[in-house]
Amino acid sequence: MGVLDGRVALVTGSTRGIGRGIAELFAAEGAAVVVNGRSEDAAEHAAREIGERVPGGIVVGIGADQSSKAEIQSLCRRAAEAL
């Protein structure tokens, strides 16, 4: 059991670097994680890799530009639908 079992985390800027490390740690601790970056492909790729490293983890990649209100709304809607 992880300390985040049953929780959901949406981590922006998590396709690489510190954000990706945070997303992976949250997944390892039991959270369902939404990986986000500007590129849909990069977000999906990072989510797949994290999912492979964290067996049984729920990790979804969704691209959205955080400078766009419409894209942020879409990100939240898609995350809620996925999880």
Side-chain angles (χ1 to χ4, degrees):
M1 289 187 75
V3 296
L4 297 176
D5 285 347
R7 305 284 184 154
V8 174
L10 190 159
V11 185
T12 60
S14 55
T15 58
R16 59 191 176 95
I18 294 170
R20 183 170 173 156
I22 291 168
E24 189 167 329
L25 177 62
F26 284 4
E29 287 296 334
V33 177
V34 176
V35 173
N36 168 253
R38 279 184 249 157
S39 163
E40 186 83 17
D41 289 339
E44 290 175 351
H45 179 75
R48 264 192 314 277
E49 287 188 345
I50 292 169
E52 290 170 1
R53 293 174 59 103
V54 181
I58 299 170
V59 186
V60 177
I62 302 174
D65 183 344
Q66 296 299 307
S67 68
S68 166
K69 182 178 178 180
E71 289 195 34
I72 292 169
Q73 290 170 333
S74 176
L75 168 63
C76 292
R77 179 185 47 74
R78 290 175 61 199
E81 289 171 355
L83 302 175

